[in-house]
Amino acid sequence: MMSRIMLMCVCVFCANTFAEDLEFNNTWLRATPPGVSSAAIYGDLINNSDDEEVLVSVTGNVAKRVMLHRTSDERGMMRMMHVDKLILTPRAQESLSPGGLHLMLTGLQQFLTEGERVTVKLHFQSGLEIDASARVGSIAQLDFPEE
Protein backbone atom coordinates (compact mmCIF):
# COMPACT_ATOMS: atom_id res chain seq x y z
CA MET A 1 0.00 0.00 0.00
CA MET A 2 2.77 2.43 0.93
CA SER A 3 4.60 1.75 -2.36
CA ARG A 4 1.45 2.66 -4.35
CA ILE A 5 1.18 5.97 -2.52
CA MET A 6 4.86 6.70 -3.15
CA LEU A 7 4.43 5.85 -6.86
CA MET A 8 1.42 8.18 -7.12
CA CYS A 9 3.37 11.01 -5.47
CA VAL A 10 6.30 10.53 -7.86
CA CYS A 11 3.92 10.55 -10.87
CA VAL A 12 2.24 13.78 -9.73
CA PHE A 13 5.61 15.44 -9.12
CA CYS A 14 6.92 14.37 -12.54
CA ALA A 15 3.81 15.57 -14.36
CA ASN A 16 4.13 19.01 -12.78
CA THR A 17 7.82 19.16 -13.59
CA PHE A 18 7.33 18.20 -17.24
CA ALA A 19 4.38 20.58 -17.65
CA GLU A 20 6.87 23.43 -17.21
CA ASP A 21 8.51 22.32 -20.47
CA LEU A 22 5.41 23.50 -22.36
CA GLU A 23 4.44 27.17 -22.50
CA PHE A 24 1.72 29.24 -24.15
CA ASN A 25 3.02 32.83 -24.06
CA ASN A 26 2.10 36.24 -25.48
CA THR A 27 -1.56 35.22 -25.57
CA TRP A 28 -4.15 37.74 -26.70
CA LEU A 29 -7.45 38.14 -28.50
CA ARG A 30 -9.60 40.98 -29.77
CA ALA A 31 -12.59 42.50 -28.01
CA THR A 32 -15.93 41.53 -29.54
CA PRO A 33 -18.74 43.89 -30.51
CA PRO A 34 -22.36 43.04 -29.62
CA GLY A 35 -23.76 40.23 -31.75
CA VAL A 36 -20.44 38.49 -32.39
CA SER A 37 -20.33 34.94 -31.01
CA SER A 38 -16.76 33.94 -31.84
CA ALA A 39 -13.20 35.13 -31.27
CA ALA A 40 -9.67 33.87 -31.89
CA ILE A 41 -6.81 33.51 -29.41
CA TYR A 42 -3.25 34.03 -30.59
CA GLY A 43 0.13 33.46 -28.94
CA ASP A 44 3.31 31.39 -28.95
CA LEU A 45 3.15 27.70 -28.09
CA ILE A 46 6.59 26.52 -27.01
CA ASN A 47 7.92 23.01 -26.40
CA ASN A 48 11.11 23.35 -24.33
CA SER A 49 11.45 19.61 -23.84
CA ASP A 50 13.39 16.95 -25.72
CA ASP A 51 10.15 15.07 -26.43
CA GLU A 52 7.45 15.57 -29.02
CA GLU A 53 4.13 16.83 -27.62
CA VAL A 54 0.76 16.72 -29.38
CA LEU A 55 -1.98 19.25 -28.63
CA VAL A 56 -5.27 17.35 -28.94
CA SER A 57 -7.90 19.67 -27.45
CA VAL A 58 -8.54 22.99 -25.75
CA THR A 59 -11.21 24.08 -23.27
CA GLY A 60 -12.10 27.56 -22.07
CA ASN A 61 -14.18 29.56 -19.61
CA VAL A 62 -16.13 31.89 -21.93
CA ALA A 63 -17.14 29.78 -24.93
CA LYS A 64 -19.06 26.60 -25.60
CA ARG A 65 -16.22 25.28 -27.77
CA VAL A 66 -12.55 26.02 -28.33
CA MET A 67 -10.99 24.51 -31.43
CA LEU A 68 -7.67 24.69 -33.19
CA HIS A 69 -8.11 26.29 -36.64
CA ARG A 70 -5.87 27.25 -39.52
CA THR A 71 -6.67 30.05 -41.96
CA SER A 72 -5.46 29.53 -45.50
CA ASP A 73 -5.72 31.35 -48.81
CA GLU A 74 -7.27 29.17 -51.49
CA ARG A 75 -7.31 30.94 -54.86
CA GLY A 76 -7.73 34.36 -53.26
CA MET A 77 -10.44 33.19 -50.86
CA MET A 78 -9.63 33.04 -47.14
CA ARG A 79 -10.83 29.81 -45.58
CA MET A 80 -10.74 28.54 -42.01
CA MET A 81 -10.22 24.82 -41.39
CA HIS A 82 -10.42 22.75 -38.22
CA VAL A 83 -7.11 21.15 -37.18
CA ASP A 84 -7.45 17.86 -35.26
CA LYS A 85 -4.07 18.06 -33.53
CA LEU A 86 -0.90 20.08 -33.45
CA ILE A 87 2.42 18.25 -33.24
CA LEU A 88 5.12 20.20 -31.41
CA THR A 89 8.55 18.82 -32.16
CA PRO A 90 11.22 18.97 -29.43
CA ARG A 91 12.61 22.46 -28.73
CA ALA A 92 10.13 24.04 -31.18
CA GLN A 93 7.83 27.04 -31.17
CA GLU A 94 4.54 27.37 -33.04
CA SER A 95 3.12 30.87 -33.43
CA LEU A 96 -0.64 31.26 -33.43
CA SER A 97 -1.36 34.49 -35.31
CA PRO A 98 -4.02 36.29 -37.34
CA GLY A 99 -4.32 34.79 -40.81
CA GLY A 100 -2.75 31.50 -39.70
CA LEU A 101 -3.06 28.98 -36.90
CA HIS A 102 -5.25 30.09 -33.96
CA LEU A 103 -7.59 28.91 -31.20
CA MET A 104 -11.19 29.58 -32.22
CA LEU A 105 -13.70 30.32 -29.47
CA THR A 106 -17.26 29.64 -30.67
CA GLY A 107 -20.50 30.16 -28.81
CA LEU A 108 -19.17 32.99 -26.67
CA GLN A 109 -21.15 33.24 -23.44
CA GLN A 110 -20.35 36.95 -23.04
CA PHE A 111 -18.98 39.85 -25.03
CA LEU A 112 -15.24 40.31 -24.61
CA THR A 113 -14.21 43.74 -23.36
CA GLU A 114 -10.77 45.27 -23.72
CA GLY A 115 -8.68 44.66 -20.61
CA GLU A 116 -10.43 41.43 -19.57
CA ARG A 117 -8.69 38.06 -19.43
CA VAL A 118 -9.87 34.78 -20.93
CA THR A 119 -8.65 31.44 -19.57
CA VAL A 120 -8.00 28.35 -21.69
CA LYS A 121 -6.65 24.91 -20.87
CA LEU A 122 -4.56 23.09 -23.47
CA HIS A 123 -4.74 19.29 -23.32
CA PHE A 124 -1.87 17.21 -24.71
CA GLN A 125 -1.84 13.57 -25.78
CA SER A 126 0.73 12.80 -23.07
CA GLY A 127 -1.77 13.84 -20.39
CA LEU A 128 -0.10 17.17 -19.67
CA GLU A 129 -2.25 20.27 -19.46
CA ILE A 130 -1.39 23.97 -19.63
CA ASP A 131 -3.53 26.75 -18.17
CA ALA A 132 -3.15 30.05 -20.01
CA SER A 133 -4.70 33.47 -19.63
CA ALA A 134 -5.15 35.62 -22.73
CA ARG A 135 -5.57 39.37 -22.51
CA VAL A 136 -8.41 40.96 -24.48
CA GLY A 137 -7.15 43.85 -26.60
CA SER A 138 -8.93 46.35 -28.80
CA ILE A 139 -11.18 45.32 -31.68
CA ALA A 140 -8.62 46.69 -34.15
CA GLN A 141 -5.55 45.04 -32.55
CA LEU A 142 -3.23 43.26 -34.99
CA ASP A 143 -0.46 41.90 -32.76
CA PHE A 144 0.51 41.06 -29.16
CA PRO A 145 0.04 44.16 -27.02
CA GLU A 146 3.11 45.59 -25.33
CA GLU A 147 2.54 46.10 -21.62
Side-chain angles (χ1 to χ4, degrees):
M1 178 69 167
M2 185 60 130
S3 61
R4 284 185 185 171
I5 293 172
M6 291 293 288
L7 179 60
M8 287 180 4
C9 289
V10 168
C11 289
V12 168
F13 174 76
C14 289
N16 289 336
T17 300
F18 294 126
E20 294 172 3
D21 288 336
L22 294 169
E23 302 174 36
F24 191 33
N25 297 329
N26 304 326
T27 54
W28 65 278
L29 67 164
R30 294 182 184 109
T32 56
V36 172
S37 62
S38 62
I41 296 179
Y42 310 107
D44 298 316
L45 192 52
I46 303 165
N47 180 3
N48 293 312
S49 77
D50 293 324
D51 298 314
E52 179 178 277
E53 286 291 343
V54 181
L55 177 64
V56 293
S57 68
V58 184
T59 53
N61 67 342
V62 297
K64 290 180 183 174
R65 292 178 56 171
V66 184
M67 297 175 286
L68 185 61
H69 280 182
R70 183 179 303 279
T71 304
S72 64
D73 185 346
E74 293 183 10
R75 298 183 197 147
M77 188 99 152
M78 295 306 282
R79 183 172 179 201
M80 198 169 9
M81 297 174 293
H82 174 72
V83 177
D84 289 324
K85 63 183 176 182
L86 177 62
I87 298 171
L88 291 170
T89 57
R91 306 280 172 203
Q93 175 176 319
E94 185 74 44
S95 291
L96 282 63
S97 59
L101 196 62
H102 58 277
L103 298 180
M104 193 74 202
L105 302 167
T106 58
L108 287 174
Q109 299 168 349
Q110 66 189 54
F111 300 119
L112 303 177
T113 306
E114 188 173 351
E116 291 181 322
R117 296 199 82 77
V118 172
T119 303
V120 292
K121 183 179 289 258
L122 286 71
H123 306 269
F124 292 85
Q125 195 169 44
S126 65
L128 296 177
E129 297 178 337
I130 297 176
D131 290 317
S133 176
R135 186 168 50 152
V136 179
S138 75
I139 290 175
Q141 187 170 315
L142 298 175
D143 203 351
F144 178 70
E146 296 300 323
E147 303 236 5

